[in-house]
């Protein structure tokens, strides 16, 4: 009996030792720690943003492993089973690794996409600001362009902070705004050039008479800010010109700061000392067409009944400021004015048009 009791005791001890060995062998702590480490690594790499689905699975499996582990630890160690704990921890580890790989790939792709979009928008802003300086938008679109420029500068700061998803969202907004500004500019340009056939007819007529009479003539191209000199129908010189500060469209009344459009002639040459603008060529604005148009605008209430038609439109010196600044005259650099003044005489044709070239030949959006 005693021997049996001793044998049972030995068996119990051996069984206990075996269970302890099994417990230590199946202890999930190493798996949990490894899963936890990779999950933290994934989080630090923003996998929750750039590989959200895989990261969510890794987190879910890890939480489940921890929950079951706590439940099993409440039991007496003989009855603890950690198979599920280890399985969930291993699944969490797998999805954490996958989310890190996917996140790295997505960040790289997003970064490349953002770089491309930033470069494109940067060029768009440069072009649109150039167009706005050359052919002013309305007040709202100019404000929108300034605001887009500010947003873009803020976006660059966020990009340097590696906030790529936020940068991508802000790029969407800026791209939409710039698309609207471009559409507005396209509309303005097409509307401006609707009179091109009339301008071409005036230019062709003036050059034809120059050729026929072996004479000089002047063509002022408002859109390109150019003063072109022809002799016997052949182009001789091109001078940079500056216009009225409200140059788009024809001149309607005195004080509107618009440069008129039409076929004119020089009626007075003003030498240095007889004008405050170095030298000047006074043209016969308003001509008969201008007067008829002015009366029509008044009759239809487009301009005030008290408005005057204006006069004293000249090609004069003191240009070269780089902006449109006159009250409606055409300003040239003094050196260019010297050349033009020398070949000019009273009666010489001066034709002013919105553009001497068609829209299709102009590099716009």
């Amino acid at each position: 009996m005693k021997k049996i009791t001793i044998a049972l005791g030995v068996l119990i001890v051996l069984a206990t030792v075996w269970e302890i060995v099994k417990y230590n062998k199946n202890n999930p702590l190493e798996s949990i720690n490894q899963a936890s480490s990779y999950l933290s690594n994934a989080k630090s790499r923003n996998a929750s943003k750039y590989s959200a689905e895989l990261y969510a699975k890794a987190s879910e499996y890890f939480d489940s492993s921890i929950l079951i582990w706590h439940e099993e630890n409440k039991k007496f160690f003989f009855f603890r089973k950690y198979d599920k704990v280890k399985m969930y921890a291993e699944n969490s580890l797998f999805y954490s690794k996958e989310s890190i790989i996917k996140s790295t790939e997505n960040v790289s792709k997003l970064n490349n996409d953002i770089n491309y979009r930033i470069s494109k928008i940067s060029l768009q802003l440069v072009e649109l600001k150039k167009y706005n300086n050359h052919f002013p938008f309305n007040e709202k679109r100019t404000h929108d362009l300034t605001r887009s420029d500010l947003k873009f500068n803020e976006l660059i700061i966020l990009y340097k902070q590696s906030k790529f998803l936020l940068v991508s969202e802000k790029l969407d907004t800026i791209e939409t705004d710039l698309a609207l500004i471009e559409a507005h500019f396209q509309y303005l340009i097409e509307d401006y050039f609707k009179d091109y056939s009339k301008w071409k007819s005036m230019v062709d007529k003036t050059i034809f008479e120059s050729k026929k009479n072996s004479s000089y003539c002047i063509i002022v191209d408002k859109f390109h800010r150019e003063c072109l000199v022809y002799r016997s129908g052949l182009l001789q010189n091109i001078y940079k010109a500056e216009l009225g500060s409200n140059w788009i469209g024809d001149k309607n009344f005195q004080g509107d700061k618009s440069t008129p459009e039409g076929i004119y002639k020089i009626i007075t040459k003003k030498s240095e000392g007889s004008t405050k603008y170095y030298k000047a060529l006074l043209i016969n604005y308003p001509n008969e067409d201008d007067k008829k148009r002015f009366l029509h605008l008044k009759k239809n209430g487009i301009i005030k009944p008290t408005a005057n038609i204006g006069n004293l439109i000249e090609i004069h010196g003191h240009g070269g400021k780089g902006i449109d600044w006159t009250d409606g005259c055409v300003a040239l650099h003094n050196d260019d004015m010297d050349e033009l003044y020398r070949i000019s005489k009273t009666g010489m044709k001066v034709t002013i048009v919105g553009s001497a070239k068609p829209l299709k030949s102009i590099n716009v959006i």
Side-chain angles (χ1 to χ4, degrees):
M1 187 68 180
K2 187 176 180 181
K3 288 182 179 180
I4 294 173
T5 301
I6 292 171
L8 285 172
V10 169
L11 286 173
I12 291 170
V13 169
L14 290 174
T16 301
V17 170
W18 175 246
E19 288 299 325
I20 291 173
V21 170
K22 281 173 60 181
Y23 171 78
N24 288 329
K25 185 178 180 181
N26 294 323
N27 193 314
L29 191 57
E30 183 178 350
S31 297
I32 289 172
N33 286 338
Q34 194 175 15
S36 176
S37 176
Y38 270 88
L39 189 63
S40 296
N41 191 5
K43 184 178 181 181
S44 69
R45 292 170 180 262
N46 291 315
S48 60
K49 296 178 180 178
Y50 300 110
S51 181
E53 187 176 342
L54 291 172
Y55 181 80
K57 285 185 177 181
S59 297
E60 185 179 343
Y61 277 121
F62 183 77
D63 291 342
S64 296
S65 70
I66 294 298
L67 180 64
I68 297 171
W69 184 42
H70 286 317
E71 290 300 318
E72 290 298 320
N73 284 341
K74 292 177 184 178
K75 302 175 184 177
F76 187 65
F77 77 89
F78 277 133
F79 304 107
R80 296 173 187 173
K81 297 186 180 298
Y82 292 122
D83 292 344
K84 280 189 176 182
V85 177
K86 292 180 72 175
M87 180 185 71
Y88 285 142
E90 288 168 1
N91 285 345
S92 175
L93 177 63
F94 171 79
Y95 283 111
S96 288
K97 288 179 178 180
E98 289 297 306
S99 72
I100 290 171
I101 294 170
K102 192 67 176 178
S103 178
T104 302
E105 290 176 355
N106 287 342
V107 167
S108 179
K109 289 178 182 177
L110 185 59
N111 191 24
N112 289 337
D113 178 63
I114 287 173
N115 273 322
Y116 169 75
R117 293 168 74 188
I118 284 176
S119 297
K120 184 180 177 182
I121 287 176
S122 180
L123 290 174
Q124 274 183 297
L125 285 168
V126 169
E127 289 297 299
L128 284 170
K129 283 187 277 188
K130 182 180 74 175
Y131 293 138
N132 192 32
N133 288 334
H134 184 84
F135 192 86
F137 307 157
N138 64 28
E139 187 175 347
K140 181 183 183 308
R141 292 306 178 192
T142 299
H143 172 74
D144 290 345
L145 180 59
T146 302
R147 186 179 61 183
S148 293
D149 196 29
L150 290 173
K151 284 182 179 179
F152 183 70
N153 291 330
E154 292 170 358
L155 178 148
I156 295 300
I157 294 172
L158 293 173
Y159 176 71
K160 290 177 179 178
Q161 296 171 350
S162 299
K163 297 180 179 179
F164 300 130
L165 287 178
L166 184 56
V167 168
S168 185
E169 290 174 8
K170 290 187 176 292
L171 280 170
D172 291 341
T173 301
I174 295 174
E175 286 168 343
T176 300
D177 291 344
L178 293 184
L180 290 173
I181 295 170
E182 284 186 353
H184 171 73
F185 176 72
Q186 191 67 43
Y187 167 78
L188 287 179
I189 285 289
E190 290 174 359
D191 185 63
Y192 179 80
F193 275 85
K194 70 182 186 300
D195 290 329
Y196 175 71
S197 61
K198 181 179 73 174
W199 300 335
K200 184 178 185 302
S201 177
M202 289 192 292
V203 170
D204 290 346
K205 180 180 178 181
T206 303
I207 295 174
F208 174 78
E209 290 181 2
S210 168
K211 183 177 181 180
K212 178 182 176 182
N213 301 324
S214 299
S215 60
Y216 281 100
C217 71
I218 297 171
I219 306 291
V220 176
D221 182 331
K222 290 169 61 175
F223 186 84
H224 294 91
R225 313 300 203 282
E226 292 177 345
C227 178
L228 304 98
V229 178
Y230 285 81
R231 182 182 182 185
S232 300
L234 299 175
L235 181 63
Q236 301 294 304
N237 281 304
I238 301 176
Y239 304 122
K240 280 295 177 185
E242 293 159 359
L243 310 172
S245 55
N246 184 36
W247 63 271
I248 297 175
D250 207 344
K251 188 169 185 64
N252 292 330
F253 57 88
Q254 185 178 36
D256 64 2
K257 298 186 181 297
S258 294
T259 300
E261 296 173 10
I263 298 177
Y264 305 99
K265 62 183 178 181
I266 298 171
I267 56 174
T268 304
K269 292 181 67 175
K270 297 181 181 180
S271 60
E272 189 174 1
S274 59
T275 172
K276 63 179 180 179
Y277 296 113
Y278 183 60
K279 294 177 182 177
L281 303 171
L282 179 67
I283 64 174
N284 65 324
Y285 171 87
N287 62 21
E288 290 305 313
D289 289 336
D290 295 321
K291 292 173 184 176
K292 289 178 184 177
R293 184 170 163 277
F294 177 75
L295 291 174
H296 175 76
L297 293 174
K298 261 194 174 183
K299 182 180 178 181
N300 288 277
I302 297 173
I303 58 177
K304 294 179 180 179
T306 56
N308 295 316
I309 193 169
N311 56 11
L312 300 177
I313 298 297
E314 302 173 335
I315 300 175
H316 59 62
H318 289 344
K321 301 179 189 298
I323 58 170
D324 296 307
W325 57 274
T326 75
D327 290 332
C329 295
V330 177
L332 306 183
H333 190 279
N334 287 352
D335 291 342
D336 296 335
M337 193 63 215
D338 280 334
E339 291 183 16
L340 186 62
Y341 189 87
R342 179 176 53 80
I343 64 169
S344 298
K345 61 181 181 180
T346 56
M348 181 171 154
K349 284 285 178 67
V350 176
T351 296
I352 305 174
V353 294
S355 176
K357 302 170 187 175
L359 177 58
K360 63 183 179 182
S361 70
I362 298 169
N363 183 25
V364 294
I365 296 171

